[in-house]
Amino acid sequence: MISEHIPALQVVVPLLAAPICFMILNNRMAWLFATLVSWLSFAMAIMLVMEVKDGTVLRYEFGGWAPPWGIEYSVDILNAYVLLIVSGIAAVVFPYSWKSIQKEIPESHYRIYFTAMLLCLAGLLGMTITGDAFNLFVLLEISSLSSYTLISLGRDRRALTASFQYLIMGTIGATFILIGIGLLYALTGTLNMADLAVRIPPLEGSRTLEAAFAFLIVGFGLKLAMFPLHLWLPNAYAFAPSAVSAFIGSTATKVAIYALLRFLFTIFGTKFSFDYMQVHWLLMPLAVVSIMFASIVAVFQDGIKRLLAYSSVAQIGYMLLGISLVNVTGLTGTLLHLFNHALMKGGLFLTLGAVAYQIGNTRVKSVAGLGQAMPFTMGAFVVGALSLIGVPLTVGFISKWYLILATLEKGYWPLTVLILISSLIAVVYTWRIIETAYFQDRPADAPPVSEAPLSLLIPAWTLIAANLYFGINSSLSTELASSAATMLFGGNL
Amino acid sequence: MISLELYNYWVVIFLMMAGFYTLIVSNHLIKKIVGLNIFQTSVFMLYISMGKVAGGTAPIAAEGIETYSNPLPHVLILTAIVVGIATTSLALALVIRIKESYGTVQENEILELDHISDTGPQA
């Protein structure tokens, strides 16, 4: 039966599709092929979610080699949920790409673009689904290397330096993760996550284990852009092609957060991570600083993409804050924010791609008067911005609601105030754009603008509509997030 | 007292710090890549050292061979070396493109040029 092999196919299909896509010489065919593969991955992710929704864990042994010797893929609620996010965003961004890259990437690079996108998708899905620590490192590098390539495809020459900077910092992060995994292997003699989870608790107090823990936290911190390790992120998102910003901005950091959760909760276990190492006292101040600092910096940006990138750093702060509260409500908030932030940032970056397609850049000044000229595009931006602020009936509200509940549950009311203040700062930085678009006239000498083509608007509105749908009917996302959070605290893989 | 029995780990730490230092301090992009390579190599040595069993040979099933080294870390590091090569070649390709469009590979000069274009059109 083919359905038994879905956990493997989830990664193998996009991975094998990448070289095939490179060999398709017709650009349009390559795009259609890549889009089809992304939809297929999304369908497989949905099937996996359906299967594990009731708490069953799917295990897939590669080549029939039983773990801990062979590489094992294991799917539980948590990673099925992250698979759904990653492949869902891919299924929207791939069809969008065709029109968007026509003005941003030279025609000779189209195939490279789709190949790199497929590799990045395969890497991210693989990192999420794998049950083997070393396999996670390899797939992390596959997704990272392809995202460096994708970022360097940006039109501006600063895309090259942004990509180089990301490459240096990303590789340091990945090497730290490699050291951490190596130290764990030296201690336990295993790389299988479920096996590691069994062998680590008796080692508590070992200096090597503490060093491994520290290396892994810093390594994942770099990959997920935890303040102050976020320096690569703003330029990378600002200068990448629009479709790439949308894809990487809404998936790469989320998968890194997932990997951090997997190590903190499943492999090291809550007892070691929080009771013994007290890691939440490291994460909490960093989360607080990143929420405040990045939100304030976002207010002063001239480029909308860079503004949204700083806002992403702040949103990552929310996710870390949820982890650092160490309760089920907080972790549910973190997981919901993974999902919701992917929807809102994906939607906003796709909208900006439509703006870039029509007017050639995305500076705050340049959007003046677009409220009238491009009503559907800017309408989508307004809804996305409301979601980013956390207005009721949008997804942003749901995750902030859970985070606020969690802070109150712990009695940390200053954090509640912090979340509210940072939401107000989000009002400030998004209002700057909306005010320019709707209440300022387009300069008289500017060329006339019309509405963006439908092939850009439909994908953008799909994500924006999802912001509203899951904001009103949040039962699917909250159900998955809360059962995943409960599972993580229950400590079973 | 520094134990000389574990000297290979001291080499690992020395290489790691030397590479990391070069990576952070140097202004020249190629030197940064060299630093990154030394940094990665130290990790390869860490893995290889931990797999080695004193007096052990290669894990080949043959008569008279009792102790052999753990092959797994060695195999893992083959993969990591491939990843390292991919990273280095991509980094070098980026440096070529940077040289073509900026005319320099000195980080401070690139930052200066970026600063000038920041006041111009921004993405």
Side-chain angles (χ1 to χ4, degrees), chain A residues 375-388:
Chain A
F376 289 104
T377 312
M378 291 319 290
F381 190 88
V382 171
V383 179
L386 291 176
S387 187
L388 193 62

Side-chain angles (χ1 to χ4, degrees), chain A residues 157-158 178 182 185 302 363, chain B residues 47 70 101 114 118 121-122:
Chain A
R157 66 175 176 184
R158 278 168 287 179
L178 186 63
Y185 180 77
D302 288 329
R363 302 183 74 187
Chain B
Y47 268 73
N70 182 354
S101 45
D114 273 351
D118 264 334
Q122 198 187 359

